Amino acid sequence: MALVVICGQPCSGKSTAAACLADALQAVDPKPTVRIIDESSLHLGRNQSYADMPMEKNLRGVLRSEVDRSLSKSSIIIVDSLNNIKGYRYELWCLARASGIRYCVVFCDTDEDSCREWNRKRGEMGESSYDTKIFEDLVRRFEKPDRRNRWDSPLFELFPSKDEIRESSPVIADAVSYLTKKVDSKSRDVRVLQPTIATQTAHTTDANSLYEMDRATQEVINMIVEAQSQGLAGAVNRISLGQHLPTINIQRPIGLPELRSLRRTFIKLTGQSSLSGPPPPSDADSAKRMFVDYLNREIGTW
């Protein structure tokens, strides 16, 4: 149905805006399905996620993957995060276009001093806040949305440091109207993005790759569990997965919960890497090889 990108400086009122928008949408008849995706919903900490560029890149990849999985023509997805990089907002816009849904950006235009003060107060109250160094770095690198860019349009601007955000705020009402208004041949003020052949092909390819990755990594996990249960690892601590595949080297028994955790992390990292590099492997053997290499780095010994 729609993708809403909440954008703004750290501690600028984004989560309040997302909550007010979600509540206002729930008051519409018929009531749409609304979901907010943010760092906390994925159990990602603020300071840890923005500690350095690799961690921040991984965060964006995890959020993007979750958005991609959640988009549909029957729900409204609200991405409550900094979304401070224009290239990343473009990637989210491409996801919306590939899904053939509406898209908009809600920008919390709050001055830096107010954001800084709100961050300080959150810390004093024991709430989640940014370390000073991380906060200042994020403020410095923020790329303000521009309604002239198609990935920043339509742009709904809020000013939390001047006006309190409420469900009844005019900007929230305008956004709700845009997201829920019925579209027909005469509609001119609502745009439903249309997928191109390129985006449809890429989306299908990505889905196939993720399916192969999921299936292949699960097979590796099953083989490790079976080998350990039968004592096949033996004293040499090596588990063979078959011809043309690397051997898994382990120094200690690895329980199923740890293996599942490693698998989830690997899939997230692979999805994140594909944002700026080649797509995930589309064949099972390549996926298994990548996963085994990752396991050997994490739990093995060369």
Side-chain angles (χ1 to χ4, degrees):
M1 188 171 181
L3 173 61
V4 182
V5 175
I6 307 290
C7 174
Q9 295 277 21
C11 292
S12 59
K14 299 183 299 299
S15 294
T16 300
C20 286
L21 178 59
D23 290 342
L25 286 166
Q26 291 296 304
V28 174
D29 189 23
K31 185 183 299 184
T33 300
V34 181
R35 182 190 174 195
I36 297 177
I37 296 177
D38 58 7
E39 289 91 343
S40 61
S41 68
L42 300 175
H43 308 290
L44 299 170
R46 290 183 174 183
N47 289 310
Q48 181 183 5
S49 298
Y50 293 102
D52 52 41
M53 292 308 296
M55 292 295 294
E56 183 177 336
K57 192 173 181 181
N58 180 65
L59 166 67
R60 290 198 294 269
V62 172
L63 286 170
R64 180 188 183 277
S65 296
E66 188 63 26
V67 170
D68 194 16
R69 285 192 294 268
S70 303
L71 291 180
S72 73
K73 300 203 174 183
S74 60
S75 62
I76 298 176
I77 302 300
I78 301 174
V79 189
D80 175 19
S81 186
L82 292 179
N83 299 314
N84 54 337
I85 307 298
K86 61 183 179 182
Y88 182 61
R89 295 197 295 271
Y90 173 72
E91 290 178 356
L92 295 176
W93 178 84
C94 287
L95 293 181
R97 182 177 63 174
S99 297
I101 59 177
R102 305 181 200 195
Y103 172 93
C104 71
V105 174
V106 176
F107 174 38
C108 292
D109 191 355
T110 308
D111 63 273
E112 294 179 11
D113 289 338
S114 294
C115 293
R116 196 171 287 110
E117 178 66 14
W118 291 349
N119 184 60
R120 184 185 64 80
K121 288 183 177 180
R122 288 178 65 90
E124 292 176 350
M125 296 172 63
E127 299 178 0
S128 177
S129 62
Y130 295 91
D131 291 345
T132 301
K133 183 179 179 181
I134 293 176
F135 177 88
E136 296 299 337
D137 178 61
L138 292 173
V139 167
R140 178 181 58 83
R141 293 190 291 108
F142 181 75
E143 297 177 352
K144 187 175 181 178
D146 184 343
R147 65 178 72 251
R148 292 174 297 182
N149 299 324
R150 61 186 184 275
W151 55 87
D152 289 334
S153 178
L155 181 64
F156 298 97
E157 296 184 78
L158 292 164
F159 302 92
S161 59
K162 300 177 182 178
D163 304 307
E164 183 180 357
I165 304 176
R166 300 176 180 272
E167 290 180 42
S168 57
S169 298
V171 175
I172 295 293
D174 290 344
V176 169
S177 175
Y178 180 83
L179 294 168
T180 59
K181 185 177 181 179
K182 291 184 178 180
V183 178
D184 55 33
S185 59
K186 297 180 181 180
S187 300
R188 294 292 181 269
D189 56 343
V190 176
R191 183 186 180 192
V192 178
L193 300 179
Q194 298 299 320
T196 63
I197 294 178
T199 56
Q200 287 178 310
T201 302
H203 192 76
T204 301
T205 301
D206 185 58
N208 291 338
S209 297
L210 290 175
Y211 171 76
E212 289 296 339
M213 179 73 68
D214 185 79
R215 188 165 65 99
T217 52
Q218 186 59 57
E219 288 181 8
V220 171
I221 294 296
N222 292 341
M223 294 174 74
I224 294 174
V225 171
E226 182 179 0
Q228 290 188 129
S229 67
Q230 296 179 2
L232 298 181
V236 293
N237 298 322
R238 296 166 67 86
I239 299 176
S240 175
L241 300 180
Q243 191 176 11
H244 307 306
L245 290 175
T247 300
I248 298 178
N249 306 294
I250 60 174
Q251 303 181 62
R252 57 181 173 82
I254 309 296
L256 185 56
E258 183 177 356
L259 288 170
R260 285 174 174 169
S261 177
L262 288 165
R263 175 174 174 265
R264 287 194 299 268
T265 302
F266 170 76
I267 291 175
K268 288 180 180 178
L269 289 173
T270 304
Q272 173 264 316
S273 299
S274 68
L275 296 179
S276 56
S282 57
D283 64 285
D285 283 348
S286 296
K288 289 179 181 178
R289 191 173 296 108
M290 286 180 62
F291 186 42
V292 170
D293 288 341
Y294 171 78
L295 289 177
N296 281 331
R297 289 195 302 270
E298 293 297 316
I299 63 175
T301 176
W302 300 99

